[in-house]
């Protein structure tokens, strides 16, 4: 069956950062709030009644970071993010159709992972709704980090590609 | 399989076509709802003239999504997809009950005789079906379902006269097979 429908590439705009520290081997990714997955920085919502399929995701780090080491602890566990949903009435929760309560492992940064995950509209949703990042775990390698960036706060971003039926609305 | 039937050579075959449409979320949220769309109700299958007999001989049914996806999408909690046939003027069903269609059929044979009792009558069909959205239908706004019948119109005088033959005058006589007129015995004068 041919692929049909609307494809949207969503990403976080802010809210995922780390601070360069050339004195250590790695620093933690920091999640601030629960950044929305949006288009060009504007929250774009799925209409009530719409379902979607998550087709792929990626965590984007600034160039050269994460090449030497990217995990959550010394055991080498992969970094992860947690996907959630929120409607305009404030109802929210984790996207339980994905992994363990929305947890998705990221084996490597800056790499696009394909998936086919059907995401029905949350049962309790009121009106429009969107996806957001509600959890994050990861350490970014500082080996060979440029001295000129020491103590600079750098941004990372999470990207998602979804296929859905109805147009996104603001 | 082949159902035996002998039609006069003057019988005219007609291929009918009916298309039913459902739109995601409209009018029912989170569903492809064929049932509550006015355009899917009482569609004309074929117009009938009086004194002719119409023989539904073959049925085709399909949709714009693969058959397995269609089956997976059926919201059986509401109902199974079904077609309801009736005649317009008498508003009487030509099958005893709605006909379920839970799979696609290609050249399904059947023999149903529908007499054109009244002039300017017609056979009408209503499609009732509610589908869920499943992974394979994400992105699909509209689903269409297709019904095609092969209908023979028989206006041969001898053949139709036997079909319409009223057995009331002949005790215990059998009538030619037909949906609307079945075996009747004149009980009033029997014995």
């Amino acid at each position: 069956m041919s692929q049909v429908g609307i494809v949207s590439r969503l990403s976080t705009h802010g809210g995922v950062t780390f601070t360069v520290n050339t004195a250590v081997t790695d620093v933690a990714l920091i999640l601030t709030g629960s950044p929305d997955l949006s288009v060009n920085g504007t929250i774009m919502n799925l209409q009530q009644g719409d379902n979607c399929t998550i087709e792929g995701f990626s965590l984007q780090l600034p160039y050269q970071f994460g090449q030497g080491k990217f995990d959550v602890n010394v055991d080498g566990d992969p970094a992860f993010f947690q996907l959630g949903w929120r409607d305009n009435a404030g109802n929210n929760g984790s996207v339980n159709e994905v992994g363990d309560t929305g947890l998705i492992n990221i084996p490597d940064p800056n790499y696009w992972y394909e998936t086919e995950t059907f995401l029905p509209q949350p049962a309790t949703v009121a009106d429009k709704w969107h996806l957001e990042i509600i959890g994050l775990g990861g350490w970014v390698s500082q080996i060979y980090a440029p001295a000129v960036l020491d103590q600079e706060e750098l941004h990372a971003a999470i990207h998602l590609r979804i296929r859905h039926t109805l147009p996104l609305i603001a | 399989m082949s159902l035996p039937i002998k039609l006069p050579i003057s019988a005219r075959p007609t291929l009918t076509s009916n298309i039913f449409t459902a739109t995601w979320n409209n009018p029912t949220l989170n569903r492809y709802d064929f049932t509550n769309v006015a355009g899917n109700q009482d569609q004309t299958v074929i117009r009938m003239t009086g004194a002719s007999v119409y023989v539904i001989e073959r049925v085709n049914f399909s949709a714009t999504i693969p058959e397995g996806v269609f089956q997976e999408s059926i919201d059986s909690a509401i109902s199974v997809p079904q077609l309801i046939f009736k005649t317009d003027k008498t508003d009487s069903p030509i099958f005893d009950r709605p006909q379920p269609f839970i799979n696609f059929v290609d050249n399904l044979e059947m023999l149903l005789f529908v007499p054109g009792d009244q002039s300017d009558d017609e056979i009408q069909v209503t499609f009732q079906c509610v589908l869920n959205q499943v992974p394979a239908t994400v992105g699909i706004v509209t689903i269409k379902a297709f019904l095609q019948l092969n209908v023979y119109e028989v206006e041969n005088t001898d053949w139709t006269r036997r079909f319409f033959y009223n057995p009331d005058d002949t005790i215990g006589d059998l009538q030619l097979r037909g949906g609307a007129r079945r075996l009747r015995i004149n009980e009033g004068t029997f014995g």
Side-chain angles (χ1 to χ4, degrees):
Chain A
M1 195 167 120
S2 61
Q3 292 282 4
V4 294
I6 304 168
V7 171
S8 298
R9 286 183 177 271
L10 310 173
S11 58
T12 57
H13 291 260
V16 182
T17 58
F18 67 95
T19 301
V20 178
N21 186 346
T22 56
V24 297
T25 57
D26 47 25
V27 297
L29 274 175
I30 305 297
L31 179 69
T32 305
S34 51
D36 305 307
L37 285 156
S38 55
V39 180
N40 198 23
T42 303
I43 297 177
M44 295 302 289
N45 293 280
L46 292 156
Q47 296 186 40
Q48 189 181 26
D50 205 357
N51 298 323
C52 70
T53 302
I54 297 175
E55 294 193 328
F57 61 89
S58 175
L59 178 100
Q60 175 200 359
L61 291 177
Y63 175 70
Q64 95 173 30
F65 283 96
Q67 304 302 308
K69 183 174 186 296
F70 181 66
D71 56 21
V72 291
N73 57 36
V74 292
D75 296 332
D77 289 348
F80 65 88
F81 68 91
Q82 188 178 18
L83 199 59
W85 63 272
R86 181 180 297 272
D87 67 15
N88 68 327
N91 302 314
N92 64 93
S94 57
V95 173
N96 295 325
E97 288 75 12
V98 177
D100 174 15
T101 60
L103 289 168
I104 302 174
N105 281 346
I106 315 164
D108 282 304
N110 299 328
Y111 192 86
W112 188 258
Y113 294 95
E114 297 289 334
T115 177
E116 284 289 338
T117 306
F118 180 54
L119 196 61
Q121 171 184 279
T124 56
V125 76
D127 209 345
K128 55 194 180 184
W129 56 292
H130 63 267
L131 297 168
E132 61 183 17
I133 304 299
I134 58 175
L136 182 69
W139 289 77
V140 181
S141 170
Q142 301 298 295
I143 298 170
Y144 304 127
V148 68
L149 292 177
D150 194 29
Q151 301 307 314
E152 290 277 340
E153 184 185 70
L154 301 183
H155 287 273
I158 293 169
H159 299 265
L160 214 61
R161 189 178 81 232
I162 62 171
R163 188 179 297 275
H164 50 108
T165 309
L166 303 173
L168 294 176
I169 55 175
Chain B
M1 188 190 79
S2 176
L3 296 171
I5 179 176
K6 191 178 290 184
L7 293 174
I9 57 173
S10 61
R12 282 196 298 268
T14 301
L15 291 175
T16 69
S17 66
N18 291 91
I19 301 175
F20 310 98
T21 304
T23 304
W24 176 243
N25 252 20
N26 184 17
T28 304
L29 203 61
N30 227 356
R31 295 286 188 279
Y32 298 98
D33 185 352
F34 289 87
T35 305
N36 292 301
V37 174
N40 297 333
Q41 300 168 7
D42 297 336
Q43 284 192 14
T44 300
V45 176
I46 190 170
R47 298 192 186 282
M48 298 192 293
T49 58
S52 286
V53 174
Y54 295 81
V55 185
I56 299 175
E57 186 265 345
R58 212 162 282 252
V59 179
N60 294 276
F61 176 78
S62 62
T64 51
I65 55 176
E67 183 178 15
V69 175
F70 176 80
Q71 292 171 321
E72 191 182 0
S73 304
I74 292 173
D75 195 336
S76 56
I78 297 177
S79 70
V80 295
Q82 57 188 18
L83 288 159
I84 301 169
F85 294 90
K86 71 179 182 68
T87 55
D88 180 31
K89 287 205 167 178
T90 54
D91 202 27
S92 58
I94 63 175
F95 288 94
D96 289 344
R97 55 183 61 86
Q99 300 299 298
F101 277 79
I102 55 172
N103 57 346
F104 294 174
V105 294
D106 189 22
N107 284 326
L108 173 69
E109 287 188 277
M110 67 166 57
L111 281 180
L112 182 74
F113 297 79
V114 184
D117 283 341
Q118 304 181 37
S119 60
D120 297 328
D121 201 357
E122 62 183 36
I123 297 175
Q124 294 181 332
V125 64
T126 294
F127 185 47
Q128 295 185 340
C129 174
V130 178
L131 300 179
N132 287 318
Q133 191 167 58
V134 296
T137 52
V138 166
I140 296 177
V141 175
T142 301
I143 295 176
K144 292 184 177 183
F146 305 94
L147 172 73
Q148 184 169 61
L149 306 179
N150 187 20
V151 182
Y152 284 92
E153 179 187 355
V154 186
E155 57 182 0
N156 177 285
T157 306
D158 288 342
W159 196 90
T160 51
R161 182 165 53 80
R162 283 192 292 142
F163 184 85
F164 287 119
Y165 181 48
N166 188 336
D168 287 353
D169 298 333
T170 309
I171 298 170
D173 195 3
L174 298 179
Q175 195 196 12
L176 195 67
R177 61 198 292 187
R181 290 174 168 78
R182 294 195 174 84
L183 170 64
R184 285 197 290 174
I185 296 174
N186 190 332
E187 295 177 346
T189 56
F190 186 74

